[in-house]
Amino acid sequence: MMRRGLFAPALFALVGHTMGAPAMEPHELFDKLSPSVWTVSNYDGRSRVQSMGSAVTIAPGRLVTNCHVLEKGVSFTVDRENVSYGATVEFMDPERDLCQLKVVGFEAASVEIADSRELKVGARVYAIGSPRGLEMTLSDGLISALRRTEDGSLVLIQTSAPVSPGSSGGGLFDAAGRLIGITTFQRKDSQNLNFAVPSGLIGELP
């Protein structure tokens, strides 16, 4: 699912590591990060799939996705290839469209979260997710703009990296393989206007 619209102003937490991390080749980045990006399936009361999205592993047994991926869901799974785990919602922030899932026995590697202060317009970025349910899809582009509130708080990353329905909740990564955003929606009435929630906001979920 992809959602159109903007989010209300919000302050953001800063999580990250050193500046100037070396860039990776796209195939190296994909090999490292794709095991941490999973498909989210949303089931109704009759155990029928009613929507699908993506999620990123941010800690042992913890993944982050968009709240709109989970709307009206009775139960959820995170899936990759032939592996599936039951998931429960641990934290919700519908205003920022970020939700955290808890998965028992889940051992996928966690991604590194970038410092939002390092983001620059024009930087190369990569999106990994499950557009239209097509698992482990990689696309690339640039940071097109950094959308801020009047007080300067970063609320959206605009990118030219292509996303589609099903990409929601997937990861937007910098060239060093660090998570910079959670892909959230695209403007369907425009060409290649795609948006992600800054990963710095993940630290505020608890």
Side-chain angles (χ1 to χ4, degrees):
M1 295 175 62
M2 301 298 293
R3 191 177 76 169
R4 294 169 59 184
L6 297 177
F7 302 115
L11 296 176
F12 62 100
L14 297 174
V15 184
H17 296 271
T18 59
M19 297 179 62
M24 302 171 65
E25 291 294 326
H27 69 276
E28 296 174 329
L29 183 142
F30 179 79
D31 288 345
K32 176 182 178 181
L33 298 174
S34 60
S36 302
V37 182
W38 289 62
T39 300
V40 178
S41 298
N42 175 329
Y43 297 86
D44 63 16
R46 297 183 179 181
S47 298
R48 298 175 299 189
V49 176
Q50 52 185 4
S51 64
M52 299 179 71
S54 306
V56 182
T57 309
I58 52 109
R62 304 295 190 275
L63 300 94
V64 169
T65 187
N66 290 141
C67 291
H68 76 260
V69 171
L70 310 178
E71 285 179 354
K72 300 180 181 180
V74 174
S75 61
F76 311 98
T77 61
V78 293
D79 316 296
R80 187 173 185 269
E81 297 179 321
N82 295 320
V83 179
S84 182
Y85 293 88
T88 57
V89 180
E90 187 170 35
F91 301 120
M92 299 184 67
D93 187 348
E95 183 177 349
R96 297 169 178 171
D97 203 16
L98 287 177
C99 281
Q100 183 168 306
L101 296 172
K102 179 179 180 180
V103 183
V104 176
F106 187 77
E107 298 180 353
S110 306
V111 300
E112 178 183 351
I113 299 178
D115 188 333
S116 296
R117 294 172 298 185
E118 298 181 22
L119 300 181
K120 302 292 184 182
V121 173
R124 175 69 60 182
V125 292
Y126 299 88
I128 301 177
S130 302
R132 301 293 184 182
L134 298 173
E135 297 179 354
M136 297 177 288
T137 295
L138 174 70
S139 62
D140 72 330
L142 304 175
I143 295 179
S144 304
L146 298 172
R147 301 302 176 186
R148 303 180 183 273
T149 61
E150 291 183 359
D151 67 0
S153 298
L154 180 64
V155 289
L156 284 174
I157 300 168
Q158 182 180 329
T159 177
S160 61
V163 296
S164 300
S167 297
S168 288
L172 186 67
F173 299 93
D174 65 13
R178 299 173 299 184
L179 182 69
I180 67 168
I182 300 297
T183 52
T184 301
F185 70 95
Q186 62 182 157
R187 288 293 302 267
K188 295 181 179 179
D189 57 349
S190 303
Q191 185 174 3
N192 212 18
L193 292 179
N194 311 301
F195 297 87
V197 180
S199 59
L201 295 173
I202 293 172
E204 297 186 4
L205 271 173

